[in-house]
Amino acid sequence: MTRPANSIKLKTTTALLLAMAILFSSRSDAQSRPPAPKASARPKLVVLLVVDQMRADYVDKFLDQWTGGLKRLVNEGAWFRDAAYPYAATETCVGHATISTGAFPATHGMVANAWWDRKEQKMVTCTSDPDPSVKNIGYAGATPKGADTAWHMAVPSFAEELKFQTSGATRIVTFSLKARAALTMAGHKADAATWFDSGAWVTSTVYGPQPFIEEQSKSHPAKADFGKTWALSLPETAYWYSEKALGAVPPEGWDLSFPHPLRGKSGVSEPDSVFYEQWASSPYADTALTTLAEKAVDALKLGNSTGTDFLAVSYSSVDYVGHEFGPRSREIQDILVRLDKDLGNLFAHLDQKVGRGNYVVALSADHGVVPIPEDMQKTGADAGLLHLPELQEKIDKALEAFKYPKPAIARISGSDIYFAPGVYDKLQHDPAGMQTVLDAALSQPGVAAVYRAEELRDRPATQSPAVQAFAYSYFPGRSGDLFILPKPYWLLDGTPLGKPRAYGTGHGVPYNYDQHVPVLLMGFGIQPGQYFQPITPADIAATFAALCGITLSSRDGHVPAEALKHPAASRTPAEPSQLKSAPPSAAITNP
Ligand SMILES: [Zn+2]
């Protein structure tokens, strides 16, 4: 007999006893006394799944080919079809921190994967921790470099708040290939926050190791996938796009078409760094993350303690594959078919160990992706590469006629332009100099607009969606001095002049192809159906908080109330039959 079945039985018995007690108490007693408080039922486990770079339209396009967990989320869950980030910096660290905290980057401060540190005059990653006592530690004997934590995140995560506000019974466990995903989902402290670095699973001293991860790292290391081949999993006629994605830049050792061998550099007999790049760009990495999540449920008995536990997995491989092969590729279609199977297995495991209806799941993405420019140009659309090094040269050159340090620009990172110390302060009192800079920037092919930091501070009321998007991303001290908005379908490209582009495409701007992501909720307290009201991924943490009865500090996220079961119904764990109950009139029945 498994624990979930017991716990459901126990609850049923408690409810029966409570009902009998009320029934047998004298009528006058019942009238004179206030009603006994109801036991507040909460989800036993909150599960957050992030698919890095998953565009919302992948669900619309490929749903019919899925049979596992992605299909189940649509069939049994609430599918938000118009979910989008409202801000400009559509990058990994930013999206994960937004989902995790329920706040926008102007509040949580994770404005990019990396930004220019004005004091140190160098780039810092969003997870770099300057505390000399913090160190990354590796599993299975690995010795990783660096020191990564979520200390840059200016507000606590939902998981941290859950643990803090509910007497600490909560366990927090997160996994990803990327530190910036695992750490932002977890927060400043956690029971386990694990990512992948140079062939090994790692964490840092702030979070500490877990014996079950050590055991899994030793018995099933990533290198066990050396020699495998990623081949198409559906019949060839099922694929939407041509065999070779136009403009794709595959990892070293791979051709433009399937099958893709995981054998490192050609000719090597042992796993090398090229193999680990191939592995990260393959469905095998998703499967490894799923297995780790299942091991966590078993080893820590997640969902079976007195509190509500938190388990999060960010699947990174769709992002690597998307950067290499673009959204219109067989590789994207196939890796989602494989992820659908992994998620089906994960949900089956949770059904068995936690109990169907005792856990709530949210699935979303940290950002979307733009089609590969060469592919987009085929349609006749105005698409291209916005060369950032060229832009930098232009601005520096234009300022030569004025009295500014040379070079005047310290760094361009994504859409953020950072000037050398003192330059921007001076430009703000030098209208001719400022106009020269703006004109130079606007003369670069692909630039649609340039915004100044002072236009974005304090989240000004504005009718301009672009200004609002940059304002939602603006965090003083970390964000740039000027911000470049490219034209639609123009990719910000930082490749040094004269070097070949090392990737197919990217993301990071305030257009719908980068902002529009899936949001799917399923399980405890969720009313199945399709919902078309616009929401943001910040609403996920707000919804989790509502279901768990805790309060978040930020008000950026809102609770999509129509997708929650009636409060009376959501206070008892749902039986499987309840999950299939008729949706309200506001929702459309899922296929
Ligand atoms: Zn990402």
Side-chain angles (χ1 to χ4, degrees):
M1 186 63 77
T2 58
R3 293 186 65 170
N6 271 337
S7 98
I8 288 171
K9 245 186 197 167
L10 201 70
K11 284 205 175 70
T12 316
T13 317
T14 316
L16 265 174
L17 285 173
L18 196 74
M20 282 163 77
I22 292 168
L23 213 73
F24 289 124
S25 67
S26 76
R27 202 181 167 80
S28 61
D29 258 357
Q31 276 167 346
S32 60
R33 277 205 309 252
K38 269 189 185 173
S40 83
R42 290 175 177 161
K44 300 295 294 172
L45 178 66
V46 172
V47 181
L48 171 63
L49 304 170
V50 181
V51 183
D52 203 308
Q53 206 196 92
M54 185 173 184
R55 286 170 58 116
D57 52 29
Y58 293 164
V59 183
D60 304 85
K61 285 172 183 160
F62 306 131
L63 177 60
D64 288 346
Q65 300 178 334
W66 299 337
T67 56
L70 289 171
K71 181 81 167 184
R72 185 169 156 188
L73 282 162
V74 171
N75 281 354
E76 296 181 14
W79 178 17
F80 290 91
R81 304 191 61 176
D82 192 17
Y85 290 96
Y87 57 74
T90 43
E91 291 186 12
T92 300
C93 193
V94 192
H96 283 84
T98 299
I99 294 172
S100 147
T101 61
F104 296 150
T107 304
H108 65 58
M110 299 299 232
V111 293
N113 289 344
W115 55 81
W116 182 250
D117 185 322
R118 290 179 169 90
K119 198 166 147 233
E120 301 288 328
Q121 288 290 296
K122 64 171 191 182
M123 289 297 288
V124 292
T125 68
C126 69
T127 56
S128 61
D129 192 326
D131 183 341
S133 70
V134 176
K135 285 193 172 42
N136 288 350
I137 44 180
Y139 287 103
T143 50
K145 293 194 177 85
D148 293 279
T149 69
W151 85 278
H152 279 300
M153 202 158 79
V155 291
S157 67
F158 155 77
E160 286 176 273
E161 291 279 20
L162 180 67
K163 188 166 191 149
F164 179 64
Q165 293 180 37
T166 56
S167 311
T170 293
R171 275 84 53 82
I172 304 172
V173 181
T174 68
F175 298 103
S176 176
L177 296 192
K178 301 181 183 179
R180 56 187 175 271
L183 291 169
T184 47
M185 293 191 304
H188 300 78
K189 285 188 179 167
D191 297 87
T194 311
W195 64 97
F196 195 76
D197 183 13
S198 313
W201 295 107
V202 304
T203 183
S204 78
T205 45
V206 166
Y207 304 87
Q210 280 282 348
F212 79 92
I213 303 174
E214 175 70 14
E215 206 255 312
Q216 182 65 12
S217 303
K218 277 185 176 157
S219 58
H220 295 85
K223 68 179 181 189
D225 289 327
F226 185 79
K228 288 183 178 171
T229 297
W230 177 18
L232 291 178
S233 45
L234 298 174
E236 194 150 349
T237 51
Y239 291 88
W240 281 43
Y241 305 115
S242 39
E243 194 184 350
K244 297 178 181 180
L246 183 62
V249 181
E252 198 181 339
W254 283 10
D255 290 333
L256 280 170
S257 50
F258 277 99
H260 299 306
L262 277 71
R263 294 195 188 89
K265 267 187 195 162
S266 62
V268 297
S269 55
E270 281 285 302
D272 56 1
S273 61
V274 174
F275 160 73
Y276 288 113
E277 271 170 49
Q278 296 166 344
W279 184 80
S281 302
S282 83
Y284 297 104
D286 286 344
T287 304
L289 285 166
T290 307
T291 308
L292 275 169
E294 291 173 359
K295 297 280 172 194
V297 171
D298 296 347
L300 305 178
K301 297 194 165 44
L302 296 180
N304 284 286
S305 76
T306 52
T308 300
D309 291 318
F310 178 80
L311 172 67
V313 185
S314 172
Y315 290 98
S316 315
S317 299
V318 168
D319 181 68
Y320 295 127
V321 169
H323 280 298
E324 290 151 2
F325 294 94
R328 291 175 14 97
S329 63
R330 291 184 173 188
E331 281 77 7
I332 280 292
Q333 192 175 343
D334 196 78
I335 200 166
L336 289 168
V337 168
R338 305 276 294 251
L339 178 64
D340 168 63
K341 288 195 171 62
D342 278 325
L343 293 180
N345 293 337
L346 177 63
F347 296 154
H349 196 81
L350 293 172
D351 288 348
Q352 197 202 345
K353 298 292 172 78
V354 183
R356 203 179 166 106
N358 286 335
Y359 60 94
V360 59
V361 185
L363 180 139
S364 191
D366 52 346
H367 52 77
V369 70
V370 68
I372 294 178
E374 291 84 347
D375 193 26
M376 195 68 205
Q377 282 164 349
K378 246 184 13 187
T379 69
D382 179 24
L385 296 168
L386 198 171
H387 293 290
L388 296 173
E390 251 177 60
L391 172 72
Q392 183 165 348
E393 225 175 64
K394 258 187 192 161
I395 296 175
D396 272 331
K397 201 152 187 219
L399 271 183
E400 273 176 8
F402 297 78
K403 280 186 180 162
Y404 283 95
K406 289 171 190 154
I409 291 179
R411 185 82 181 197
I412 299 183
S413 178
S415 44
D416 294 37
I417 299 178
Y418 298 86
F419 285 93
V423 170
Y424 194 68
D425 289 341
K426 208 172 146 195
L427 276 172
Q428 283 176 288
H429 303 100
D430 174 7
M434 182 72 93
Q435 197 55 51
T436 301
V437 168
L438 298 179
D439 290 346
L442 286 165
S443 74
Q444 175 67 26
V447 173
V450 187
Y451 300 105
R452 290 168 290 123
E454 59 273 24
E455 291 178 80
L456 312 174
R457 274 178 205 141
D458 309 321
R459 299 201 204 181
T462 169
Q463 293 295 309
S464 159
V467 171
Q468 187 174 69
F470 279 103
Y472 279 145
S473 300
Y474 185 82
F475 194 82
R478 293 182 191 170
S479 297
D481 301 312
L482 292 179
F483 302 85
I484 298 294
L485 175 69
K487 291 178 180 168
Y489 295 110
W490 280 72
L491 178 61
L492 296 172
D493 179 31
T495 306
L497 297 169
K499 289 260 169 75
R501 196 161 98 235
Y503 62 96
T505 190
H507 51 84
V509 299
Y511 289 115
N512 211 227
Y513 46 72
D514 283 353
Q515 293 177 321
H516 188 201
V517 292
V519 170
L520 289 146
L521 300 168
M522 178 181 81
F524 181 95
I526 301 301
Q527 180 61 56
Q530 291 184 33
Y531 301 88
F532 285 88
Q533 87 268 29
I535 69 162
T536 83
D539 295 353
I540 292 171
T543 306
F544 282 165
L547 290 173
C548 295
I550 64 157
T551 301
L552 298 180
S553 59
S554 165
R555 290 289 299 157
D556 290 332
H558 302 276
V559 180
E562 60 283 21
L564 297 190
K565 288 200 163 143
H566 187 272
S570 70
R571 282 293 163 203
T572 42
E575 295 296 329
S577 61
Q578 277 179 277
L579 289 171
K580 288 176 185 151
S581 65
S585 54
I588 296 172
T589 316
N590 285 346

